Amino acid sequence: MLRKITYSLAHPELNRILLDATKRGRDAREAQLATLVDPKGFTQSIKNLKTDAISKLDHLVQEFKLNCERNGSTVVLARDGREAIDYIATLAQRHGLKVIKKSKSLTTEEIELNPRLEERGLEVIETDLGERIIQLAGEKPYHIVFPAVHKSQTEVAKLFSDALHVEVKDDLQAIMDAQRHALRPIFLGPGMGVTGANVAVAETGSIIVETNEGNARLITSIPDVHVVVVGMEKIVEKWEDALRLMIAHPMSATGTRLTNYVSMMSQRLPLAGHPRRELHVVILDNGRSRMREDPSFKEALNCIRCGACMNICPTYGVTGGHIFGYIYPGPIGIPWTEEVHGLDHAAEFAHLCIACGLCREICPADIDIPMMIAKVKEKDVKQDGQPIANRVLIRYEELAKFASATAPVSNWLVQNRFSRLLMHRFLGIEKRRKLPVFVRNTFEKRFLEIKREIPNPRGRVVYFPDLTVNFTDPSIGVRAVNLLQESGIEVILPRGLKSSGYPYFSYGELEKATKIARHNVETLKDYVNRGFEVLATEPTATYAMKKVYPTLLGHTAASELVASHTFEFFEYAYEHASGAIQAAVIGERDRQRIGFHVPCHQRALSSGRHTIALLERAGYSVKVIETGTCCGMAGTFGLKKGPLGYELSMAVGRQLFDMFKLEGTELLIATESSVCTWQLTEGTGYRVVHPLELLVPGTPA
Amino acid sequence: MGGKVYAAGDADETVRVINKIIGEKAKGKTCCAPILLPEGGAERRDVSLLIQTDLPFQGSNEKLLGEIDVGVTRADYAIAETGCVVELAYDDALRLVSSLSRIHIVVVEEATIMPTLQDLAQRIRELLTGKATKPTITLIGGPSRTSDIELKSVLGVHGPKEVLAVLVGEEGGSA
């Protein structure tokens, strides 16, 4: 694994196509989604219909089966891959068919149907171009929508030349013609057709297959025997649901409005009047019933297999599906692999997840993928223990307290080359990474000096400083408090609040994360009940309280109450203090050009729109600069040494660094996240500031 | 649809438009599935017999249709929202005419256009409920295509490289 990552990081050209592909996928999806009247409502409708179908799946499976049988098809319920494979192999043998013609199906990849059928002497031919390339190369799909996206045209031409024993030119049209020419006789010749299904409809016993190439149309029409392998979770109740999914699939997968060919089949048709043809439907369980019973993983069954989470995942984007995947790749691949292929296979790539949370934001079914990944990490950590670097970084709060209390000695240690070498060797903290400087005069101490009594306050807030404000950058907290107080808002800092605990979540220590969540919610709840709002200047802290705590705590009333009264600092300032904010003078220049970076966790909140509005109102020219994914730092992930930390982190950020550099050296970068600040400073060499350094209290309104 | 659209005012003009396309583009055999078009009042007539073809539709199986170059079919509906046509097949030979051909000409009546895909739900339910024979319903959005190599889009992988729609209705007649 480490070797593969090192190799892939050393060969950025291998990733260029993947990075382009994933970015194109994200951009096209966003553009297509924007054409809908109500994009949020659409996502909600997908989530609802899937949740509804999964909740009554037992009933839907029976209804679907019954209707298929009424239509004259044969239906088999396969408990696992072996039962499905046995059925298909026996069926082919009974009909004396030696060739299996397939269209793309992830479900058959899941059970490794092809090699098992080949072991029994059957010839299996993938007819989708991407799958055919993968099959000829003897590999697994790299991406679920674009299985061969890592292969260049030149490589494909060579693969085809070798396989077809004819010279195929390194030209796209030539490759297409070769594929068409080679597969026509196979389509027209004898053999059994095997397809998956994108959707199955219970009310009429129908199956739906979507393809752009049209290969599935030929496979489901010419062979006298057609077998469909359908994962149980694909069954929906009615046609309204199925038609919604038909739009959701291509929209999220490729940003197109509809897949080119959507075949909806309910029974076997005659061919040129010849009637005795068969349709066999294999409904695959393979762990799905168990998943349904498990509250932690049930939601994974809502996956519509669009691949959007692969297109936004920052570490998948530079590692690809052969590293970041087993058979199911990408973020949703982690829970699916754990459930159908086992923890060991999932643990191989689960720790590549950096808990940026973007997969949930892009998911068309709003699946809480980050939470399921955290559970997989938790299972693995319980079994195999935490790597040393994680053990150090996860206790960041204690470390920070210690470093702050012992500053400047601790700072000398973290800046000293010899001690950094020791930390690199023994603690797994990358020696090349600049570490923050800790202060003795923490925010908690500074707050006592600046706190003012506000008579008749216009608002009352609890300020949640989180770690970096408290121990490394108290000036941000001071600015925040001053700004609020100048606007007539009372600010308090409750005793005993812990930092957000997000590192425990990212590294899969959910019991500790839950304990901290409970503690903070219990502490904050009393203040909220007394009319206080909770504000944080660190997006991760706001994200943790609003999006993670409620789930960790099982959506208790207190956690939901605190979540609904927690705001980003600027969201609140925009509403309550905006009249009293003006531009700070930065060096010689005010009215400076600002390149704004939206941290991942802020994408799940406001995407910085209040901050940008305030900066613009103060006279700054602001441009959001983004690739649509993470800067690569991801909390403390980028502090870890080597390929599975620092190097991967810099590789993820490279595209974004270049975009900032294109803007010219006079650009000032602003972002609200402390760790993004470290990463962008190091990656671009530019000055990176918190927006609070650009805004100061003006004349009180 | 990613294909060209021709307009025709009535059944006769439809035949002329299709024969003209075939005359200009065909490089091999042509096959035409039944095309029932309105003929004043409730009457409909199959104009496929007036199309220049080399392969009969009736009785042609995959062996014969393997040689098809131009396929002509009628779509039962079209969906404005997604820009696709809806093909109802009661015999797989129809699906082969529209999927084995290099050029697919599809006849669509203006009156059958539905605004959104959701509008199709109830119609599908009627077609598939309480009937002994149930059609295979296919949405066709344009020529066969792939982006599997370096995400570059190419047409005509296995199915048609060109899809040409002939829109029949009162608006037509300018082709």
Side-chain angles (χ1 to χ4, degrees), chain A residues 180 213 240 260 264 267 277, chain B residues 92 125 134 141 143-144 159:
Chain A
R180 189 180 175 104
E213 296 178 14
E240 282 78 1
N260 219 16
M264 308 174 228
Q267 67 184 178
R277 292 148 53 85
Chain B
D92 275 331
R125 192 171 289 121
K134 303 174 189 213
S144 156

Side-chain angles (χ1 to χ4, degrees), chain A residues 137-157:
Chain A
E139 294 178 7
K140 287 173 181 169
Y142 202 71
H143 185 288
I144 64 169
V145 178
F146 302 106
V149 70
H150 59 303
K151 294 266 180 244
S152 70
Q153 180 182 301
T154 313
E155 286 173 84
V156 176

Side-chain angles (χ1 to χ4, degrees), chain A residues 5-6 9-10 318 424 430 432-433 637-638 640-654:
Chain A
I5 296 177
T6 312
L9 292 177
V318 294
H424 186 92
E430 172 64 42
R432 283 169 287 180
R433 173 71 75 182
F637 182 84
K640 294 195 276 178
K641 75 171 176 189
L644 237 177
Y646 182 77
E647 285 163 30
L648 189 55
S649 152
M650 289 318 236
V652 169
R654 200 165 293 133

